[in-house]
Amino acid sequence: MIGATATSKAGGQGSRLFVYNGGFVTQPRLRRILDLAGYQLRLGLPKEGDLVGVWGNSPTAHRGRSVAAKYGADLLRVEDAFLRSIHPGRAGEPPLGLLLDRKGLHFDPAQPSDLEDLLATHPLDDSHMMRRARNAIGRLQDAHLSKYNGFMPSAPLPDPGYVLVVDQLRGDASVTASKADRARFLEMLVFAQEEHPGARILIKTHPETRDGHRSGHYLDTDAQGRVEMFSDPVSPWGLLEGAIAVYTVSSQLGFEAILAGHRPRVFGQPFYAGWGLTEDEDPVARRQRKLTRPQLFSAAMFLYPIWYDPFTDRLCELERVIDTLEASTRAWRQDRAGWVASGMRLWKRSPLQGFFGQTRKLKFTENPEEARKSGRNWMVWASKAQAKTHAGATHVEDGFLRSRGLGADLVPPMSLVLDRQGIYYDPRQPSDLDDLITLRADLGPAEALRAEALIQQLIRNSLSKYNLSGEPPALPAGHRILVPGQVEDDASIKAGCGRINTNLDLLRATRKANPKAVIIYKPHPDVEAGLRPGSLPESGIPENLADVVASNCDPMALLDEVQEVWTMTSLLGFEALLRGAKVTTLGLPFYAGWGLTTDKRTAPPWRAARPDLLGLAHAVLIDYPRYFDPLTNLPCPPEVVVERLISGELPQPSLGNRSLAKLQGAFATYAHLWRRGKR
């Protein structure tokens, strides 16, 4: 489908595109998207059958139009798509999509564009596409995504009940195309006041006006009486939610207002006007069709743009772009103030810079006062956090799709979690993960589909936290129960277990409750590697507690062969839930207490919600962790990490890390000597 779309946009593969704007040459992402869409950029003069590319109605577009007219070449008008990036293109950030139009400009009503033709003539009656549209609209709202995303969704919003009047930049191409000027904007402001007597009027200034780059049409003197200027960088979706009416000339905010459920009053002739979803002061006579919101969205966001995936270097669907932009904006929003970090081992510092230091480089200190005075957010590795010393710090830990190889072997992570309240493995206090699971008890259709697709990818490819290999042993017939061993000094054991807190006690409890079952014991890989404590007696497992000891094998292969898992707090219990196995917990792991497991300990009171498995998975695998792609060095969605783990396209640990890991393993061989001395 993507290939067909690219071909139709290009008018055939390998179309020669002559350009006379330096941006086409100097911007690699722009060139790459055009190349993937079937356009070969050229300099010089076009011949018969060639195309001339121009950037919208930019100041340099006249060059291309003149050449095209002289040589009889068709024009290809190029613009950014309606979902672009965190910051505008002039900040140097590349786009995630383009609008390629052979007929006109989507914002210029002087002649029909390809987008207008789609809106006027395409059936737009495919039920699957309409479901996609409704789901995508919901995702954009939930993630607070717009064309540009350099704002904080948590920023305070004005009290609801206002009329929103949208300002635009002077000289904006869409404003000029609608033949609007300051007088038109003032007329719009008068209408807003007359049609809503007594209501508060907010003039929403353009971000570039707020930043002092370009002037808008409204002046400070226009804010009189109940009219006020509003320039705070807030979520457009949040702002629209509090509005009782929206007035615009041609802003994209008018399009988003439609998607948010408004019927905006439009004083220009933007692409979204004239389809029965707006109140038009100056209607376009040729636009007579009545459309629904999903139909408008489908044409503007599915059919019209060319979307690009930077992780696969391919054209893609809108949903992948939403995933990508959601990951990058989340990283920017969390990291924009900068971080100071404590309790981080030296080998972890470089991966942490990749995760959290792209906006502002991380600083490291072990001095709490220095961290608090830095003016930055403060993070500490969760297991190193002390309640008094690190009060107020955000806790950091490995995520649940971590790597191909052990952290104890110094393999860098591809996922990490940030938790402002506590940490997921400590049930003694609420964590951010607890809150996210509670929220996902009410899961929307788009989120459910995404979680289900991710789970199926994990199952089909036997993916887990560490993704270790090894064939499982032959297993006896019968009702099989897998008992995963754990590192006995692990923080999750200390925080989440009661009387049963050793691997031997776990086996005894499992056997006592299941005397006739086939019990398979899987030692923890860190323990097997000699890196962490938790091994059972050298003489073997006593009292016939286990029928099989499955050493040095892939635990996911074992999950395919068992009916139950009994565990203290192991992540393997969560992975078993994803694969449909019954799970009994003797501690309080993060997935216990939500009604999906049989729990031997009482869950904390804040785990009262009852999410289904998809809701739990969405919170644990999508909402909570941050993901990092080691090939592009970009924040990424979980799907990209899954693809990397499947393909094996991962950089090898550095020589320094490999040497340090071997040294660590050598010392671990004698760990019992100093641990014994501490008892």
Side-chain angles (χ1 to χ4, degrees):
M1 183 168 74
I2 291 173
T5 303
T7 302
S8 67
K9 302 275 188 197
Q13 294 295 317
S15 300
R16 300 203 313 171
L17 184 67
F18 287 79
V19 295
Y20 308 95
N21 179 322
F24 285 102
V25 179
T26 60
Q27 298 181 42
R29 176 73 61 81
L30 175 58
R31 295 200 311 271
R32 183 57 179 156
I33 297 175
L34 288 168
D35 180 61
L36 289 169
Y39 297 100
Q40 301 173 1
L41 261 62
R42 294 286 189 272
L43 302 177
L45 297 174
K47 296 180 180 179
E48 184 179 355
D50 292 333
L51 296 169
V52 172
V54 297
W55 188 265
N57 209 10
S58 68
T60 60
H62 67 91
R63 303 171 189 165
R65 289 195 296 266
S66 298
V67 173
K70 183 176 180 178
Y71 291 91
D74 289 334
L75 281 173
L76 179 73
R77 299 158 184 89
V78 185
E79 278 275 348
D80 286 326
F82 302 124
L83 195 65
R84 189 190 188 283
S85 53
I86 299 172
H87 305 293
R90 63 177 53 87
E93 194 168 349
L96 288 167
L98 295 175
L99 308 177
L100 308 178
D101 205 305
R102 297 281 295 271
K103 291 184 177 179
L105 294 162
H106 70 84
F107 55 77
D108 190 347
Q111 64 186 62
S113 64
D114 286 339
L115 177 55
E116 184 175 320
D117 279 359
L118 284 169
L119 291 166
T121 64
H122 195 285
L124 298 171
D125 60 354
D126 181 84
S127 59
H128 174 65
M129 183 185 292
M130 296 303 108
R131 283 195 299 273
R132 286 181 60 203
R134 288 188 287 270
N135 290 342
I137 293 169
R139 286 197 61 192
L140 293 177
Q141 291 174 312
D142 291 344
H144 295 273
L145 295 180
S146 184
K147 184 174 184 178
Y148 306 116
N149 297 279
F151 56 83
M152 297 294 289
S154 58
L157 293 162
D159 293 334
Y162 47 82
V163 174
L164 191 64
V165 177
V166 184
D167 197 8
Q168 293 176 252
L169 298 172
R170 294 197 183 196
D172 180 88
S174 73
V175 173
T176 303
S178 290
K179 298 181 176 59
D181 53 13
R182 172 166 161 78
R184 188 64 158 167
F185 277 82
L186 290 173
E187 180 188 20
M188 181 169 68
L189 183 59
V190 171
F191 269 80
Q193 295 175 81
E194 290 181 347
E195 293 172 353
H196 299 276
R200 181 186 179 194
I201 310 293
L202 288 189
I203 297 176
K204 176 64 176 73
T205 60
H206 194 280
E208 291 192 42
T209 304
R210 180 193 68 229
D211 297 338
H213 298 309
R214 298 168 67 185
S215 302
H217 291 84
Y218 292 112
L219 306 175
D220 290 342
T221 54
D222 297 321
Q224 304 286 338
R226 55 194 176 100
V227 179
E228 57 188 275
M229 307 293 284
F230 185 81
S231 59
D232 294 357
V234 301
S235 165
W237 298 103
L239 196 62
L240 289 167
E241 186 176 0
I244 59 173
V246 178
Y247 287 70
T248 184
V249 170
S250 57
S251 170
Q252 181 171 321
L253 197 60
F255 175 52
E256 292 167 338
I258 295 171
L259 304 181
H262 288 281
R263 188 179 180 87
R265 190 87 150 83
V266 178
F267 285 72
Q269 295 178 322
F271 75 89
Y272 52 82
W275 310 107
L277 297 167
T278 53
E279 294 289 341
D280 301 322
E281 185 65 17
D282 188 14
V284 181
R286 61 179 181 268
R287 299 178 187 174
Q288 297 293 321
R289 189 180 185 188
K290 304 300 181 187
L291 299 174
T292 64
R293 292 184 181 93
Q295 287 175 320
L296 176 68
F297 184 90
S298 295
M301 302 297 282
F302 293 151
L303 302 175
Y304 188 45
I306 291 287
W307 297 111
Y308 175 74
D309 179 7
F311 303 107
T312 61
D313 189 33
R314 298 174 185 169
L315 301 183
C316 65
E317 303 289 357
L318 172 66
E319 289 85 352
R320 180 65 166 222
V321 172
I322 295 175
D323 296 344
T324 299
L325 194 54
E326 186 177 35
S328 61
T329 56
R330 178 183 175 188
W332 180 83
R333 290 164 181 171
Q334 291 183 341
D335 302 342
R336 64 190 293 266
W339 290 98
V340 59
S342 303
M344 308 299 177
R345 293 181 178 178
L346 288 176
W347 78 269
K348 292 180 178 178
R349 295 188 177 189
S350 179
L352 287 167
Q353 284 289 3
F355 267 90
F356 306 116
Q358 298 202 3
T359 303
R360 295 180 66 185
K361 192 173 181 181
L362 264 75
K363 293 183 176 180
F364 297 91
T365 181
E366 300 307 318
N367 186 324
E369 290 306 312
E370 183 181 335
R372 292 190 177 94
K373 292 178 181 178
S374 68
R376 295 164 167 248
N377 295 319
W378 184 21
M379 65 169 62
V380 61
W381 195 261
S383 61
K384 304 291 185 182
Q386 300 176 21
K388 292 184 179 180
T389 304
H390 301 106
T394 296
H395 296 160
V396 186
E397 244 303 343
D398 287 330
F400 309 112
L401 286 172
R402 187 193 182 281
S403 53
R404 190 170 290 282
L406 300 173
D409 278 336
L410 312 190
V411 177
M414 290 189 286
S415 70
L416 293 169
V417 302
L418 291 173
D419 202 304
R420 296 166 300 168
Q421 298 183 77
I423 194 64
Y424 70 86
Y425 58 70
D426 190 346
R428 296 171 296 186
Q429 61 181 355
S431 68
D432 288 354
L433 181 55
D434 288 324
D435 290 351
L436 290 167
I437 294 172
T438 299
L439 288 172
R440 291 306 183 187
D442 184 17
L443 198 66
E447 290 78 14
L449 285 171
R450 188 182 182 191
E452 186 174 21
L454 185 60
I455 291 171
Q456 292 306 313
Q457 277 280 74
L458 299 180
I459 295 173
R460 281 196 302 270
N461 297 281
S462 297
L463 296 181
S464 62
K465 184 174 183 176
Y466 298 116
N467 300 289
L468 304 173
S469 59
E471 291 295 321
L475 301 177
H479 184 80
R480 300 170 181 151
I481 298 176
L482 178 62
V483 177
Q486 294 185 242
V487 177
E488 292 183 351
D489 66 352
D490 189 76
S492 73
I493 298 289
K494 295 177 178 179
C497 289
R499 180 178 58 82
I500 296 175
N501 55 26
T502 69
N503 292 322
L504 193 57
D505 286 342
L506 172 63
L507 278 168
R508 286 171 175 156
T510 306
R511 176 58 77 191
K512 183 178 180 180
N514 303 276
K516 297 182 179 180
V518 177
I519 294 179
I520 299 109
Y521 177 70
K522 173 68 180 75
H524 193 280
D526 282 353
V527 175
E528 289 182 302
L531 301 174
R532 303 284 297 278
S535 60
L536 294 174
E538 294 182 3
S539 58
I541 299 175
E543 307 167 31
N544 297 316
L545 298 180
D547 299 284
V548 178
V549 177
S551 300
N552 300 305
C553 69
D554 178 6
M556 298 304 103
L558 291 173
L559 287 179
D560 293 336
E561 303 295 330
V562 303
Q563 288 75 50
E564 290 188 59
V565 170
W566 281 55
T567 181
M568 292 182 286
T569 61
S570 172
L571 179 62
L572 205 61
F574 171 70
E575 293 165 333
L577 283 177
L578 298 184
R579 290 158 175 81
K582 180 183 177 182
V583 176
T584 298
T585 66
L586 286 80
L588 280 174
F590 65 86
Y591 51 86
W594 305 104
L596 298 170
T597 53
T598 301
D599 304 317
K600 300 300 184 180
R601 299 192 70 203
T602 303
W606 51 84
R607 296 187 185 178
R610 289 295 176 262
D612 61 16
L613 183 61
L614 295 180
L616 178 72
H618 200 289
V620 173
L621 297 173
I622 298 173
D623 298 324
Y624 191 47
R626 287 259 302 264
Y627 294 91
F628 179 77
D629 177 28
L631 296 189
T632 61
N633 293 319
L634 293 172
C636 69
E639 291 83 357
V640 171
V641 165
V642 168
E643 290 161 10
R644 298 294 190 233
L645 290 169
I646 293 171
S647 69
E649 285 186 279
L650 298 170
Q652 295 300 309
S654 68
L655 178 61
N657 269 21
R658 293 198 302 271
S659 301
L660 186 58
K662 289 180 180 179
L663 185 63
Q664 177 177 274
F667 277 108
T669 304
Y670 302 98
H672 64 283
L673 298 176
W674 58 77
R675 289 194 181 103
R676 187 180 301 155
K678 290 181 179 180
R679 293 174 182 171

